[in-house]
């Protein structure tokens, strides 16, 4: 765990870092990145300015999570419901996504991060899909943190896709029975990686917005009023510290 330079001596980040138990870092952190539009509105800027400002938060959180030893980071970037937004805003979001992947791919490779896109990727325009596929192929052999970016995603759509794939598999094998939690998990977009230990939502909203509905069954949920463009390393450390102060029992009664 390379923490050199992660926090300036005497800073608030350094104080938080000292309090964190490095043996209890969440393996998988998922984040609903919310508040870009309201951040821009408070500054009398167009909504797209909030999306652009949020890119710096993405960069800071990815670097911080990787250096802290987080194994999987999943970011909710664009939901299926987001297609209902104004066409101009959607086009700008897609352009920003392409620009970000192109600009950050070298850094992702350098830091041994494996990039994955989850969601109905086939529903995105070809230029966006091509960038995503290239990033996934180029980082496929990386062994560090897995970075999942949820695009054209919804939790209910994921379950529909999962059940359809599972049904096809069972039908192919001549077996219409035998569905259990393990078999469902094998066909999720996140197959093969642990469920989130910690779900973070920014901007003060207290809902999960159709995100990772199956996977967050036992996740600890942390809400912060900070808008995503203002979310930085300090806020991530605060969320992890809060997580470490909780008693995770997964529905069981704690033994005395």
């Amino acid at each position: 765990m390379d923490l050199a330079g992660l926090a300036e001596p005497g800073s608030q980040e350094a104080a938080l870092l000292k309090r964190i138990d490095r043996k209890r870092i969440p393996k998988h952190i998922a984040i609903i990145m919310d508040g870009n539009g309201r951040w821009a509105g408070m500054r009398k800027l167009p909504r797209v300015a909030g999306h652009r400002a949020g890119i710096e938060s993405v960069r800071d959180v990815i670097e911080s999570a990787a250096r802290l030893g987080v194994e999987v980071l999943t970011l909710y970037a664009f939901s299926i419901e987001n297609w209902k937004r104004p066409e101009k805003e959607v086009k700008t979001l897609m352009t920003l996504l392409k620009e970000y992947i192109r600009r950050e791919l070298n850094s992702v490779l350098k830091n041994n991060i494996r990039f994955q896109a989850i969601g109905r990727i086939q529903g995105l325009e070809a230029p966006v899909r091509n960038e995503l596929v290239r990033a996934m192929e180029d980082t496929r052999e990386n062994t560090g943190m897995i970075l999942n970016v949820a695009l054209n995603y919804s939790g209910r759509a994921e379950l529909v896709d999962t059940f359809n794939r599972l049904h096809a598999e069972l039908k192919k094998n001549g077996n219409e029975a035998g569905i259990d939690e393990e078999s469902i998990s094998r066909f999720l977009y996140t197959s093969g990686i642990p469920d989130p230990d910690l779900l973070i939502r920014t901007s003060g909203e207290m809902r999960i917005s159709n995100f990772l509905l199956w996977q967050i069954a036992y996740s600890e949920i942390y809400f912060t009023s900070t808008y995503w463009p203002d979310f930085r390393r300090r806020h991530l450390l605060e969320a992890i510290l809060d997580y470490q102060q909780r008693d995770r029992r997964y529905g069981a009664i704690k033994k005395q």
Side-chain angles (χ1 to χ4, degrees):
M1 192 181 303
D2 179 16
L3 301 183
L6 192 60
E8 292 290 334
S11 66
Q12 190 171 9
E13 290 85 352
L16 289 167
L17 201 55
K18 288 180 180 179
R19 295 170 58 194
I20 285 178
D21 182 350
R22 297 180 189 177
K23 296 180 180 178
R24 295 182 59 228
I25 298 293
K27 290 183 178 181
H28 184 174
I29 297 177
I31 304 179
I32 301 174
M33 306 179 294
D34 192 27
N36 290 349
R38 277 166 287 169
W39 181 92
M42 289 176 62
R43 292 160 176 77
K44 302 188 184 306
L45 297 171
R47 288 177 59 86
V48 295
H51 298 313
R52 290 187 180 277
I55 291 175
E56 187 60 35
S57 300
V58 170
R59 183 180 295 114
D60 194 58
V61 167
I62 291 173
E63 177 191 358
S64 301
R67 294 176 66 182
L68 283 166
V70 174
E71 296 179 10
V72 184
L73 177 66
T74 300
L75 303 178
Y76 200 5
F78 190 86
S79 72
I80 288 177
E81 292 78 16
N82 286 157
W83 291 111
K84 299 174 185 177
R85 294 185 178 186
E87 183 179 356
K88 183 178 179 181
E89 182 179 351
V90 171
K91 286 185 176 180
T92 299
L93 282 167
M94 293 298 129
T95 298
L96 288 173
L97 174 62
K98 288 186 293 184
E99 290 176 355
Y100 175 82
I101 295 173
R102 289 172 185 168
R103 187 169 58 244
E104 299 297 324
L105 184 55
N106 285 337
S107 177
V108 169
L109 286 165
K110 180 181 177 181
N111 288 284
N112 196 31
I113 294 171
R114 178 152 61 98
F115 177 86
Q116 293 186 161
I118 62 172
R120 290 181 170 174
I121 308 305
Q122 70 277 10
L124 299 171
E125 293 183 352
V128 177
R129 289 201 312 272
N130 293 340
E131 291 293 338
L132 294 172
V133 169
R134 183 168 70 93
M136 287 189 283
E137 290 179 348
D138 288 353
T139 64
R140 190 179 304 278
E141 302 302 320
N142 288 358
T143 58
M145 185 180 76
I146 296 172
L147 171 61
N148 288 324
V149 178
L151 294 159
N152 199 24
Y153 175 92
S154 90
R156 288 183 175 180
E158 178 178 16
L159 292 177
V160 169
D161 292 346
T162 296
F163 297 148
N164 281 330
R165 287 196 294 268
L166 178 55
H167 174 72
E169 178 72 13
L170 293 174
K171 187 176 181 180
K172 183 178 70 174
N173 295 330
N175 179 10
E176 295 291 344
I179 296 177
D180 55 18
E181 289 190 16
E182 182 180 352
S183 60
I184 291 172
S185 295
R186 284 193 295 110
F187 286 89
L188 293 170
Y189 298 154
T190 56
S191 176
I193 64 176
D195 291 338
D197 300 295
L198 173 63
L199 171 67
I200 300 170
R201 181 172 187 144
T202 61
S203 87
E205 301 293 348
M206 295 188 180
R207 55 180 178 268
I208 58 175
S209 295
N210 203 6
F211 186 46
L212 300 177
L213 297 179
W214 179 275
Q215 296 91 331
I216 63 170
Y218 286 105
S219 300
E220 297 297 323
I221 302 179
Y222 178 85
F223 297 107
T224 173
S225 59
T226 303
Y227 292 137
W228 179 248
D230 291 328
F231 193 91
R232 289 294 187 274
R233 181 171 300 146
R234 171 174 66 85
H235 303 95
L236 179 64
L237 293 173
E238 288 173 345
I240 292 173
L241 184 60
D242 182 90
Y243 162 84
Q244 292 185 344
Q245 294 171 342
R246 301 186 189 185
D247 181 15
R248 305 190 74 198
R249 290 178 288 180
Y250 301 94
I253 297 175
K254 187 176 180 180
K255 294 181 179 180
Q256 300 296 324

